[in-house]
Amino acid sequence: MHGSISPPSSFCLSFFSSPPLPHFRTCLTRRSWTASHFGTAELFATCAKKDIRVWHTLSNRELLRITVPNMTCHGIDFMRDGKSIISGWDDGKIRAFAPETGRLIYVINNAHRIGVTAIATTSDCKRVISSGGEGEVS
């Protein structure tokens, strides 16, 4: 690798809707962030620092905030069946949350030794794929 690009230490996201709805904006203050959509233009989620946020584009508002104190979320994905938000954290755990309430559904402990760096789910909702800071994919 000849070089790398580092994201800014803080940045703002702007969300635009078709008229007559105005755009809305939020600021995230950590280098670690990602976004995932829920198979519709109406819902998507972002993660940064210690929280996951679920957004509704038609109403231009945050619907839900899921917080895990003292942990950094590095990746999220919605299960295609809509029953959970799967997330990867710097403590090496994968956590699943209910998208309507934010309730913790389950935790996969020790998924990676040096934190979970990315997460994805399969279209049949039977598998979670993750990568870790140690370079492993599982």
Side-chain angles (χ1 to χ4, degrees):
M1 178 186 264
H2 296 287
S4 63
I5 298 172
S6 296
S9 59
S10 68
F11 57 93
C12 295
L13 296 174
S14 290
F15 308 106
F16 296 91
S17 299
S18 300
L21 298 175
H23 79 279
F24 61 104
R25 181 177 167 118
T26 187
C27 292
L28 305 172
T29 58
R30 289 289 279 191
R31 291 178 185 261
S32 174
W33 71 276
T34 191
S36 179
H37 68 90
F38 178 62
T40 175
E42 294 180 22
L43 292 175
F44 71 97
T46 59
C47 72
K49 197 172 178 180
K50 65 182 180 193
D51 61 34
I52 297 168
R53 300 177 191 193
V54 178
W55 302 91
H56 185 247
T57 57
L58 297 181
S59 64
N60 294 333
R61 67 185 185 103
E62 181 181 321
L63 297 177
L64 176 69
R65 187 175 298 194
I66 301 165
T67 302
V68 178
N70 303 314
M71 293 296 133
T72 299
C73 182
H74 289 290
I76 53 173
D77 199 7
F78 284 99
M79 278 292 193
R80 186 169 283 186
D81 62 9
K83 295 180 181 178
S84 59
I85 299 171
I86 309 300
S87 58
W89 298 79
D90 66 349
D91 62 355
K93 296 179 182 179
I94 295 171
R95 293 176 172 88
F97 297 95
E100 299 89 3
T101 63
R103 179 183 58 83
L104 183 65
I105 300 171
Y106 64 83
V107 177
I108 300 173
N109 292 307
N110 304 313
H112 291 278
R113 294 184 317 268
I114 308 176
V116 179
T117 57
I119 200 95
T121 60
T122 58
S123 61
D124 63 4
C125 301
K126 293 182 178 181
R127 292 186 175 88
V128 174
I129 299 122
S130 63
S131 66
E134 69 284 342
E136 296 178 358
V137 175
S138 58

